[in-house]
């Protein structure tokens, strides 16, 4: 990368030294190819103001590298004309942006109060012991295996995942596995390690962490079949089903409901 | 009311039973987008007036009158207006919006179009929490279908009204469910609450007039347009009308989503859900997520609407009924919730950031059996210094489980400290080694 003439003119050092120092702080973002740049621009185009695209763009960065690296921060900063510090401040605020490379899969186990009381704590304990090594259980946001390699798993305990009627729940790459037990969770994790991809309870066939992040950035091309699956879990439908069985309904609507008149301006 | 409404009144949840309910085809077969056609033929102010008449109140927890919120948007001000949907469902126990968007995303989209037309917004964003990929997938597909069918984009159904909708995935921060933190997050910043005023109605997204509404609130709008305000008021209670999705979770036989008129009681809902799991008696429950003060078995007949829950000393919140039986320790549950608030405190306000940290330290040592009775006073003192002293409601919510837990179950906290009661009665600093 060449140093601008303005910088060379303003520097008290000789041009070669100035060039060296200026380029020392430049991060290599070549891992983000033209296709990624095109996607970043597509994200920006969705919003009235460019900076709104930062959160999806950080998801996009994770789809390339499996975490938000310094290069990822520099990439977003360059796309949005922000400083690295501004992007870093955002990336470090949100739980879903990982600072270290993630495994092929991210396993998130809800240990908030309700899931924990139903067995979530026990599930988390079982899985971290299984994934640990040398008698030491795997820690929060730690990875078993070489990050990104087949069968590698990053583990985290998660806060409430908004599926409390299906608890205890866990997620793999943000797909739901409902009504878990320590045994079921262990079986699932072992299958993931062996390169299998057991289907989520609701949701699409399992992919990997990076593919999930690409979709969170808003890119779903060629994945139309992913939409299938049940409309809802049986638990979700319990009220509606009871009502249907017993003939309970909301009061019937009038044939023609009128709008009130246009209010007079005060 | 002429006729007492049935025990369950599926409105928002009715279509969920249909096969492939998330598709435009199913939605249109079941009266979908009929309300939109009706609304586009009316004057926008008539829609706002109808929403006011219906008495619809925000379903995201605070219960603010929706029509009034829309009415706050200044008209003819020359600024762009925005509608932002708060789909950042994350309050512990709350699990109604995700299933709604998963099973019936078009009802939300139709509500968005009608609301945007009413408040004269040409851009709307659905801010949905990032951890629910399948839900995001279905929402995104529904938005694409709506564009293709002419319900979104330029000149919606030939009305001359333009609307763009974007599905925006968050990144795992509970605080972004707070409306001003959500707006900062949507602007690509750290999700930290803003000082109010100015309120979003005058300076919201990009400092322009903005309505922020919950998913269930906006999904209710097409039904109000089709049924009218009197129909909506034929369910529920005078000041809290309409149907509401009650989410039952925890130690009940059949947890799930039950849509019933506002004011339904836990006793009624428990009966439908087959009672307590394995017959083990009820000990405590939350009426609307962990930020709403706990209730006990004495509150089974409290009418669960905004007034009923408040009169009984709690809040309706998100009607997330987390039910716990006698096997669960209250101090343990309170500790777990406090760990959550500590993790999710955004760090902006000192009382919340520091207070939740110290509350966790004290509760953890109590649960370990290393607390003293004076720790209870310290807890209440710290709570007193958080409540009402932070920008947003996260701090207030964080103290709810603690103060209500101590109010109803003080003996349990004391029992944990019994062993140390005699040895050390002097008040100690939070976190001090014993």
């Amino acid at each position: 990368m060449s140093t601008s003439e303005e910088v060379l003119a303003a520097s008290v050092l000789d041009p070669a030294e100035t060039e060296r120092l200026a380029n020392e702080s430049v991060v290599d973002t070549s891992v983000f190819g033209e296709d990624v740049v095109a996607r970043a621009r597509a994200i920006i185009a969705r919003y009235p103001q460019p900076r709104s695209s930062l959160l999806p763009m950080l998801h996009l960065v994770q789809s390339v590298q499996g975490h938000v690296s310094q290069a990822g921060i520099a990439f977003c900063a360059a796309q949005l004309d922000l400083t690295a510090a501004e992007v870093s401040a955002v990336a470090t605020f949100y739980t879903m942006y990982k600072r270290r490379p993630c495994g092929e899969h991210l396993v998130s186990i809800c240990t908030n109060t309700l899931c924990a009381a139903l067995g979530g704590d026990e599930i988390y304990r079982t899985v971290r012991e299984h994934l640990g090594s040398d008698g030491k259980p795997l820690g929060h946001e730690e990875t078993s295996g070489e990050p990104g390699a087949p069968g590698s798993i990053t583990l985290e305990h998660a806060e409430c995942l908004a599926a409390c009627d299906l608890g205890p729940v866990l997620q793999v790459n943000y797909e739901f596995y409902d009504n878990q037990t320590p045994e079921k969770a262990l079986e699932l994790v072992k299958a993931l390690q062996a390169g299998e991809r057991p289907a989520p309870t609701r949701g699409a066939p399992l992919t990997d962490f990076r593919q999930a992040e690409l979709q969170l950035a808003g890119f779903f091309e060629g994945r139309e079949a992913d939409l299938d699956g049940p409309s809802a879990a049986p638990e979700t439908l319990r009220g509606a089903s009871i009502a249907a069985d017993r003939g309970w309904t909301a009061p019937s609507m009038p044939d023609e409901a009128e709008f009130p008149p246009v209010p007079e301006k005060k | 009311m002429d006729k007492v409404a049935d025990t369950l009144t599926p409105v928002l949840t009715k279509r969920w039973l249909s096969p492939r309910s998330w598709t435009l085809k199913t939605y249109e077969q079941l009266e979908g987008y009929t309300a939109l056609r009706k609304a586009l033929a009316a004057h926008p102010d008539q829609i706002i007036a109808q929403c006011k008449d219906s008495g619809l109140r925000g379903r995201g927890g605070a219960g603010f009158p929706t029509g009034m919120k829309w009415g706050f948007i200044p008209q003819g001000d020359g600024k762009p207006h925005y509608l932002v949907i708060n789909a950042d469902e994350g309050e512990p126990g709350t699990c109604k919006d995700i299933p709604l968007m998963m099973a019936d995303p078009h009802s939300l989209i139709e509500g968005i179009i009608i609301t945007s037309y009413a408040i004269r917004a040409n851009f709307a964003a659905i801010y949905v929490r990032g951890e629910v990929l399948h839900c995001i997938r279905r929402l995104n597909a529904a938005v694409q279908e709506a564009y293709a069918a002419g319900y979104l984009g330029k000149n919606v159904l030939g009305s001359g009204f333009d609307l763009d909708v974007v599905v925006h995935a968050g990144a795992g921060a509970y605080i972004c469910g707070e409306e001003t933190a959500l707006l900062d997050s949507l602007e690509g910043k750290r999700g930290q609450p803003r000082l109010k005023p100015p309120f979003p109605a005058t300076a919201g997204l990009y400092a322009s007039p903005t309505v922020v509404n919950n998913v269930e609130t906006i999904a209710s709008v097409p039904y109000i347009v089709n049924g009218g305000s009197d129909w909506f008021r034929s369910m529920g209670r005078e000041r809290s009308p309409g149907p509401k999705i009650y989410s039952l979770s925890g130690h009940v036989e059949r947890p799930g989503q039950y849509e019933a008129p506002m004011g339904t009681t836990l006793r009624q809902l428990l009966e439908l859900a087959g009672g307590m799991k394995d017959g083990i008696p009820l000990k405590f429950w939350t009426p609307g997520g962990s930020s709403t003060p706990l209730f006990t078995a004495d509150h089974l007949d409290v009418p669960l609407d905004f007034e009923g829950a408040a009169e009984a000393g709690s809040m309706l919140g998100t009607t997330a009924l987390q039910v716990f039986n006698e096997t669960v320790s209250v101090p343990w549950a309170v500790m777990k919730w406090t760990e959550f608030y500590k993790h999710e405190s955004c760090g902006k306000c000192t009382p919340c950031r520091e207070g939740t940290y110290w509350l966790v330290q004290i509760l953890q040592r109590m649960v370990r059996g290393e607390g003293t009775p004076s720790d209870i006073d310290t807890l209440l003192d710290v709570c007193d210094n958080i409540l009402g002293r932070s920008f947003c409601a996260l701090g207030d919510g964080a103290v709810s489980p603690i103060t209500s837990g101590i109010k109803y179950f003080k003996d349990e906290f004391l029992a944990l400290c019994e062993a140390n009661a005699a040895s050390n009665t002097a008040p100690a600093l939070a976190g001090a080694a014993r």
Side-chain angles (χ1 to χ4, degrees):
Chain A
M1 191 176 285
S2 67
T3 309
S4 80
E5 287 183 17
E6 281 171 37
V7 172
L8 292 172
S11 174
V12 295
L13 301 171
D14 67 69
E17 183 65 1
T18 304
E19 186 101 15
R20 191 187 67 77
L21 282 172
N23 287 335
E24 203 177 56
S25 60
V26 173
V27 182
D28 178 13
T29 57
S30 58
V31 63
F32 303 104
E34 276 178 33
D35 54 331
V36 185
V37 173
R39 283 187 162 139
R41 294 204 175 129
I43 298 173
I44 293 171
R46 292 178 201 152
Y47 298 92
Q49 294 193 10
R51 184 161 176 172
S52 282
S53 63
L54 182 51
L55 265 65
M57 205 180 290
L58 286 163
H59 284 305
L60 176 69
V61 157
Q62 295 207 116
S63 76
V64 178
Q65 290 195 305
H67 73 304
V68 178
S69 65
Q70 285 304 313
I73 286 169
F75 173 78
C76 292
Q79 294 301 315
L80 293 169
D81 200 19
L82 297 171
T83 66
E86 285 170 313
V87 176
S88 223
V90 174
T92 53
F93 183 83
Y94 296 94
T95 306
M96 289 174 77
Y97 301 132
K98 304 302 183 194
R99 306 314 306 277
R100 285 179 291 174
C102 278
E104 180 187 20
H105 301 293
L106 172 67
V107 173
S108 318
I109 297 172
C110 179
T111 57
N112 201 293
T113 313
L114 188 111
C115 273
L118 298 176
D121 275 353
E122 186 62 20
I123 293 170
Y124 182 61
R125 195 184 60 78
T126 305
V127 171
R128 55 185 300 215
E129 276 173 11
H130 169 73
L131 291 176
S133 51
D134 306 329
K136 193 169 160 283
L138 195 69
H140 175 63
E141 290 195 334
E142 287 180 0
T143 301
S144 156
E146 184 62 34
S152 57
I153 291 175
T154 300
L155 180 67
E156 65 179 1
H157 57 78
E159 295 301 355
C160 186
L161 293 167
C164 313
D165 49 339
L166 308 160
V169 294
L170 67 80
Q171 293 184 323
V172 181
N173 311 329
Y174 306 118
E175 302 281 5
F176 280 107
Y177 293 77
D178 303 333
N179 297 312
Q180 290 295 295
T181 61
E183 296 73 33
K184 281 201 242 178
L186 195 58
E187 199 182 324
L188 170 63
V189 167
K190 283 179 179 170
L192 294 172
Q193 285 181 302
E196 295 162 37
R197 293 184 170 178
T201 318
R202 296 165 284 154
L206 198 64
T207 54
D208 59 23
F209 175 69
R210 294 184 191 199
Q211 176 56 235
E213 283 292 321
L214 184 63
Q215 297 189 30
L216 288 174
F219 298 97
F220 301 89
E221 295 87 352
R223 308 207 65 89
E224 285 72 21
D226 285 0
L227 287 167
D228 284 339
S231 296
E235 288 83 349
T236 311
L237 301 175
R238 274 187 173 140
S241 306
I242 291 175
D245 290 347
R246 301 192 186 178
W248 288 342
T249 60
S252 56
M253 289 185 182
D255 291 337
E256 193 57 47
E258 299 288 331
F259 284 105
V262 181
E264 286 177 33
K265 292 272 177 255
K266 288 180 198 109
Chain B
M1 229 184 293
D2 303 320
K3 169 184 174 288
V4 176
D6 286 335
T7 311
L8 290 174
T9 50
V11 175
L12 298 161
T13 56
K14 193 177 172 200
R15 213 179 274 110
W16 299 1
L17 291 168
S18 303
R20 296 176 66 82
S21 61
W22 66 90
T23 60
L24 179 63
K25 196 172 158 218
T26 304
Y27 190 68
E28 285 179 329
Q29 281 167 354
L30 300 169
E31 281 115 45
Y33 290 109
T34 55
L36 174 64
R37 288 169 206 278
K38 215 177 140 185
L40 289 174
H43 189 280
D45 289 345
Q46 286 181 290
I47 298 166
I48 297 177
Q50 183 188 47
C51 186
K52 282 181 183 166
D53 291 350
S54 75
L56 174 65
R57 295 173 66 176
R59 274 27 177 165
F64 193 84
T66 305
M68 195 187 288
K69 195 183 248 191
W70 297 358
F72 287 154
I73 298 293
Q75 297 302 338
D77 56 344
K79 287 186 183 172
H81 299 170
Y82 299 109
L83 173 65
V84 176
I85 303 304
N86 187 343
D88 194 40
E89 184 163 63
E91 168 74 17
T94 310
C95 49
K96 63 189 179 65
D97 296 336
I98 302 301
L100 189 154
M101 294 185 288
M102 195 113 93
D104 195 12
H106 281 286
S107 66
L108 174 64
I109 293 168
E110 185 175 7
I112 288 172
I113 309 169
I114 296 170
T115 306
S116 299
Y117 173 71
I119 64 165
R120 287 84 153 176
N122 302 112
F123 177 79
I126 306 171
Y127 187 108
V128 54
R129 66 180 296 178
E131 298 94 330
V132 291
L133 183 51
H134 200 53
C135 178
I136 292 168
R137 203 177 267 139
R138 290 226 171 122
L139 271 176
N140 187 73
V143 167
Q144 300 312 317
E145 279 186 310
Y147 268 106
Y151 297 122
L152 288 175
K154 293 275 176 219
N155 194 16
V156 172
L157 295 178
S159 64
F161 171 65
D162 303 337
L163 180 65
D164 283 311
V165 172
V166 67
V167 178
H168 183 93
Y174 166 72
I175 188 60
C176 293
E178 197 282 335
E179 62 175 7
T180 60
L182 185 152
L183 292 173
D184 262 30
S185 180
L186 183 54
E187 291 180 359
K189 299 170 189 156
R190 294 163 77 91
Q192 293 190 314
R194 302 173 180 174
L195 187 63
K196 293 190 273 191
F199 289 92
T202 49
L205 186 65
Y206 315 131
S208 278
T210 303
V211 164
V212 184
N213 271 146
N214 168 263
V215 171
E216 191 184 354
T217 312
I218 293 299
S220 301
V221 170
Y223 302 99
I224 293 172
V225 167
N226 269 339
S229 54
D230 287 343
W231 167 80
F232 191 73
R233 284 183 169 281
S234 69
M235 289 165 277
R237 302 213 299 172
E238 177 62 28
R239 289 166 66 196
S240 298
K244 183 78 192 69
I245 303 174
Y246 292 90
S247 309
L248 251 79
S249 62
H251 292 127
V252 299
E253 281 291 342
R254 290 190 292 276
Q257 311 296 325
Y258 296 82
E259 190 178 9
M262 277 276 199
T264 300
T265 65
L266 179 61
R267 189 186 299 280
Q268 290 171 296
L269 292 165
L270 265 183
E271 204 176 292
L272 294 169
M276 293 296 294
K277 190 168 168 54
D278 303 326
I280 303 173
L282 168 70
K283 186 171 176 185
F284 62 100
W285 55 290
T286 66
S290 60
S291 301
T292 60
L294 299 176
F295 275 158
T296 68
D298 292 338
H299 299 94
L300 276 167
D301 296 310
V302 169
L304 295 173
D305 67 349
F306 292 106
E307 285 70 36
E311 280 159 19
S314 187
M315 291 179 287
L316 186 67
T318 51
T319 54
L321 310 166
Q322 304 178 86
V323 178
F324 295 89
N325 68 23
E326 280 185 348
T327 66
V328 182
S329 148
V330 172
W332 173 84
V334 167
M335 175 194 77
K336 295 286 279 186
W337 276 318
T338 309
E339 288 171 348
F340 162 76
Y341 290 107
K342 182 220 153 208
H343 181 254
E344 300 297 340
S345 173
C346 79
K348 183 162 182 161
C349 308
T350 308
C352 172
R353 180 188 67 238
E354 300 300 318
T356 52
Y357 173 82
W358 289 113
L359 289 170
V360 166
Q361 306 293 313
I362 300 169
L363 284 162
Q364 285 179 342
R365 86 171 173 215
M366 285 179 103
V367 170
R368 281 200 307 268
E370 296 165 13
T372 66
S374 66
D375 280 342
I376 297 172
D377 300 324
T378 312
L379 281 175
L380 292 173
D381 186 47
V382 176
C383 288
D384 191 44
N385 279 294
I386 297 175
L387 185 69
R389 288 176 162 84
S390 300
F391 271 36
C392 82
L394 191 147
D396 298 352
V399 308
S400 282
I402 301 174
T403 51
S404 60
I406 293 174
K407 178 177 166 189
Y408 296 118
F409 299 97
K410 191 169 183 180
D411 287 352
E412 261 189 68
F413 287 84
L414 282 171
L416 280 174
C417 306
E418 210 164 277
N420 302 315
S423 62
N424 186 351
T425 51
L429 289 174
R434 292 285 176 186

